[in-house]
Amino acid sequence: MRIPSGRNHMACLAFYNNAGLQLLLWSTASSSLCSWKHRIWLMKKKKPMSLHTTACQQDRPDRNRSLLSKQSLGQNFLYDDGYIQRICNQVNFDVENGGKRIVEVGPGLGALTRILHQRYPNMTTIEIDRRAVDHLHSHFPRLEVIHQDVLSTDWKALAESRGGPLAVVGNLPYNITTPILFALIKNSCHIDHAILTMQLEVARRITAKPRSKDFGVLSVFSQIHSKPSILFPIPPSVFRPIPQVTSALIRLDFQPQRSTELLQHVTTEELTQVVRTAFQQRRKRMSNSLKSLTTRLQKNLPEDIQNRRAEELRPEDFIQLTEYLFGHRENIYIPQTLK
Ligand SMILES: C[S@@+](CC[C@H](N)C(=O)[O-])C[C@H]1O[C@@H](n2cnc3c(N)ncnc32)[C@H](O)[C@@H]1O
């Protein structure tokens, strides 16, 4: 096979994901000059590049080639400028203080940070990956980067040090999305709102209504503590490596006053026991699904509730049910939810 030396005839670009499966190849040359043989030869010759690398993009911090993504840290980096801009456009908070109360979770290579930090110079970021922390320090010397596991964040202390409830933003590591959400919910009085990228499937569970298949534990707790809404879906193609699932940007407006009022007679532990037990067998009648709990608490469910299923109750109904089961109220009235 004749190997052409036609580097000047074409510009071929190849980048692989970390499994070496994704390949994008394009050519600016005419098809006659850029034969498939030539392309394959170039692909073999070229060492696989790490993510985010093209010759013209090396000056962009979020197109850095030295940081290979780690699946274990849920590193699917945002790659599409249109979506990066759309996500950043949703953030509008604490402008007068340079965004002192904005916290980005998992900034990674800085796809969102690059834009947010320009507008909010006093924002804070929390990142676990040492390589990303070093990268951020070198590209954004004035950026506040906390090198730690977001799950060990003391949200109360952070909010107090930043002057009030926070706006938490970020493209979440998908492997720990649910624990992060529960940590935010638990600290909802220190968080004003959150704008987060996550799997569409999780976003649907957060916003699901009773009697839908997605309605469950996450829906109940998210909706007691916040007003959640899906802002827009995000296709897999805008991330590198490309994930297998569609994502979504979601906004949760925390409502600490409302949740404190709703939860004044029950503890979170009591509510958690009831909701989790009920949803363990979501299709069963409550007389069955809650049997272990009612036996232990020596309570009989009112007849009206016995035949209902967990997925038919609204979040506030679970609070009433918990109050009743733990002896904080005599009667309960749970209306039938509309189909
Ligand atoms: C989905 S990537 C998002 C990166 C970047 N924001 C973007 O959109 O391109 C998730 C980021 O969270 C970081 N991360 C993963 N687990 C973390 C944890 N427990 N605490 C803090 N950061 C974490 C990863 O290192 C990674 O940078």
Side-chain angles (χ1 to χ4, degrees), residues 62 72-79 104-113 126-129 132 148-151 170-176 180 239:
D62 57 324
S72 60
L73 294 178
Q75 289 180 339
N76 293 92
F77 298 106
L78 274 162
Y79 192 77
E104 186 190 353
V105 174
L109 297 170
L112 300 171
T113 325
I126 302 174
E127 172 60 61
I128 200 170
D129 188 341
Q148 71 171 33
D149 181 348
V150 66
L151 295 176
N171 170 19
L172 295 186
Y174 290 173
N175 48 338
I176 52 165
I180 293 176
F239 300 93

Side-chain angles (χ1 to χ4, degrees), residues 252-310:
L252 296 111
D253 284 288
F254 290 98
Q255 303 181 303
Q257 218 173 326
R258 177 175 176 267
S259 54
T260 308
E261 270 166 34
L262 283 171
L263 298 173
Q264 57 185 312
H265 301 301
V266 291
T267 65
T268 305
E269 290 68 35
E270 290 168 344
L271 182 63
T272 306
Q273 279 185 56
V274 174
V275 178
R276 285 202 187 280
T277 312
F279 277 106
Q280 260 161 22
Q281 295 164 306
R282 52 184 294 132
R283 298 290 304 153
K284 285 205 168 159
R285 294 175 201 288
M286 301 273 250
S287 51
N288 280 329
S289 61
L290 288 179
K291 195 157 198 90
S292 58
L293 199 58
T294 49
T295 310
R296 180 158 62 80
L297 298 173
Q298 297 183 338
K299 278 274 182 184
N300 289 324
L301 281 178
E303 224 168 279
D304 171 41
I305 307 294
Q306 287 183 11
N307 293 330
R308 312 274 277 277
R309 295 178 172 84

